[in-house]
Amino acid sequence: MKNESILVVGGAGYIGSHMVKDLLDAGHDVITLDDLSTGHRDLLPGGTFVEGDLGDKEILNRLFSSHNISAVMHFAAFSIVGESVENPLKYYRNNLAATTALLSAMIQHRVKRFIFSSTAAVYGEPMEIPITENHPCNPTNPYGATKIAVERMLYDCDSSYGFKYISLRYFNASGADESGTIGERHTQETHLIPLVLKVATGERENISILGTDYPTPDGTCIRDYIHVSDLTQAHLLALKSLLSGGESAVYNLGNNHGYSVREVVELAKKVTGKNIPVLEADRRPGDPAKLIASSEKIKTSLGWKPKYENLETIIETAWVWHQKEAANSNMS
Ligand code: UDP
């Protein structure tokens, strides 16, 4: 009998690469499937790598036939809210249709444990803060709509095939592994913290605040930032639960604390000691004003304990990584 492996789909991306590292560190055998459309081969910390699309039936059949896969973790989604508003079908094709192919292959090969990267964007404009998992789901953008559609599909697969899943609704993933060896790298960067830190390294001239007329104390959007390694630790707990026969579940992952865009910029100035010029710009379509998580459910059910609750520490870990990336790009 071959060793049991965990299949990480999208393991060469930002969160996926941190997951692969933590799975390997925890002693698991890991196979990564990634088409490198947004991931980076050099960010993959180890394990077996297969280059390919998660919707490719032949590759999926080969993978599930030739390995003893005990669970699948799925990070291979497009995740840019603005892009999803401009090009929704790109999102439905990859995030929904390709995920359907992956789930079909899993059912066919009797692999029935799945951990899904979902998002706070499933909730839409919140009716109450903090947001619990019972809050109604009315996404304000196609990205969130594709994620809630997959969650519904997972629920139906559990009812019909006894498929067990844990869906983790991330708030704003940020920071980098403490080792400084991996971190956030997007060819097309749209996220606030990396953009702000690229101003601090001198790679960009300024940061645009996208909307200053939101109904928040300083007029800018409020988000709940969570360290990427706290996310991956939650996945390890979810995996342990499913591997020991646990039931399907949906959990929020955030820090129960909101920071406005202006507050993030101020903290980044403090951490980096650099001037970070700001421009005030229009709102970005699809952005809710305020998202703050309640993560009580996963703390109570799985014993999740975040290590990095303080945004300043989260930004410090990201800063170590971004300085290194900037130095590398100056040398090449
Ligand atoms: N944001 C901003 N300027 C930027 C990028 C983002 O003001 O250049 C704001 C964005 O409107 C949102 C917050 O920063 O309110 C976090 O955005 P990000 O793209 O990092 O994550 P999202 O909340 O969209 O998942």
Side-chain angles (χ1 to χ4, degrees):
M1 190 69 178
K2 287 177 217 148
N3 281 348
E4 288 199 341
S5 315
I6 309 298
L7 174 62
V8 178
V9 185
Y14 168 43
I15 305 172
S17 59
H18 285 76
M19 189 73 247
V20 171
K21 178 171 187 295
D22 287 354
L23 281 165
L24 292 170
D25 288 349
H28 292 280
D29 283 351
V30 181
I31 304 161
T32 290
L33 172 65
D34 198 303
D35 65 0
L36 301 182
S37 60
T38 57
H40 302 272
R41 182 71 181 86
D42 67 301
L43 289 187
L44 191 65
T48 304
F49 176 62
V50 177
E51 186 170 346
D53 187 307
L54 80 130
D56 185 325
K57 290 181 188 136
E58 252 177 59
I59 293 181
L60 290 171
N61 265 329
R62 214 178 328 122
L63 268 175
F64 286 112
S65 311
S66 56
H67 297 273
N68 180 14
I69 294 172
S70 54
V72 177
M73 295 186 176
H74 178 16
F75 298 88
F78 294 137
S79 61
I80 302 172
V81 167
E83 184 189 50
S84 83
V85 175
E86 279 157 31
N87 193 356
L89 291 180
K90 174 175 174 183
Y91 278 65
Y92 281 95
R93 258 192 312 273
N94 186 59
N95 294 8
L96 186 59
T99 301
T100 311
L102 172 63
L103 294 181
S104 304
M106 287 181 67
I107 299 293
Q108 191 188 335
H109 291 270
R110 297 187 177 76
V111 178
K112 293 193 173 178
R113 297 182 194 105
F114 189 71
I115 301 179
F116 180 57
S117 303
S118 188
T119 168
V122 298
Y123 295 114
E125 200 61 63
M127 290 154 61
E128 53 189 27
I129 295 284
I131 303 171
T132 68
E133 293 81 356
N134 294 328
H135 188 284
C137 292
N138 291 308
T140 53
N141 53 63
Y143 167 57
T146 62
K147 291 285 182 173
I148 199 66
V150 171
E151 284 197 16
R152 175 66 210 210
M153 191 157 66
L154 294 172
Y155 175 87
D156 290 334
C157 288
D158 184 346
S159 306
S160 301
Y161 313 123
F163 184 90
K164 297 297 167 199
Y165 68 93
I166 291 185
S167 182
L168 298 171
R169 294 178 177 164
Y170 310 161
F171 283 64
N172 287 64
S174 43
D177 187 79
E178 265 185 3
S179 65
T181 55
I182 48 176
E184 187 162 12
R185 188 198 296 154
H186 296 113
T187 310
Q188 183 197 350
E189 191 53 78
T190 63
H191 293 105
L192 181 63
I193 292 178
L195 285 174
V196 168
L197 294 179
K198 280 173 185 286
V199 180
T201 58
E203 292 164 277
R204 300 176 69 97
E205 286 185 1
N206 49 52
I207 179 77
S208 291
I209 297 189
L210 303 176
T212 53
D213 59 349
Y214 282 98
T216 59
D218 69 16
T220 68
C221 284
I222 292 178
R223 293 288 181 273
D224 185 345
Y225 294 87
I226 171 169
H227 194 277
V228 61
S229 301
D230 284 331
L231 285 181
T232 56
Q233 290 308 311
H235 284 71
L236 288 180
L237 294 170
L239 179 65
K240 197 169 149 204
S241 167
L242 291 182
L243 292 179
S244 56
E247 285 302 318
S248 296
V250 175
Y251 298 113
N252 282 342
L253 283 172
N255 272 319
N256 201 347
H257 191 116
Y259 292 87
S260 73
V261 176
R262 289 192 206 277
E263 286 173 326
V264 171
V265 174
E266 287 310 311
L267 274 176
K269 281 186 191 166
K270 185 174 168 206
V271 167
T272 63
K274 307 278 183 188
N275 183 32
I276 299 179
V278 158
L279 300 179
E280 295 192 356
D282 289 342
R283 289 183 180 198
R284 186 170 69 177
D287 267 347
K290 187 172 181 182
L291 295 172
I292 301 175
S294 160
S295 298
E296 286 313 307
K297 188 178 168 196
I298 190 163
K299 287 180 179 166
T300 313
S301 306
L302 300 186
W304 179 64
K305 275 200 211 87
K307 184 174 163 193
Y308 306 88
E309 285 170 284
N310 178 333
L311 184 57
E312 195 173 325
T313 318
I314 296 179
I315 294 177
E316 278 167 10
T317 64
W319 179 229
V320 171
W321 167 252
H322 283 288
Q323 284 173 285
K324 205 165 159 182
E325 282 276 272
N328 285 343
S329 71
N330 280 341
M331 283 190 316
S332 58

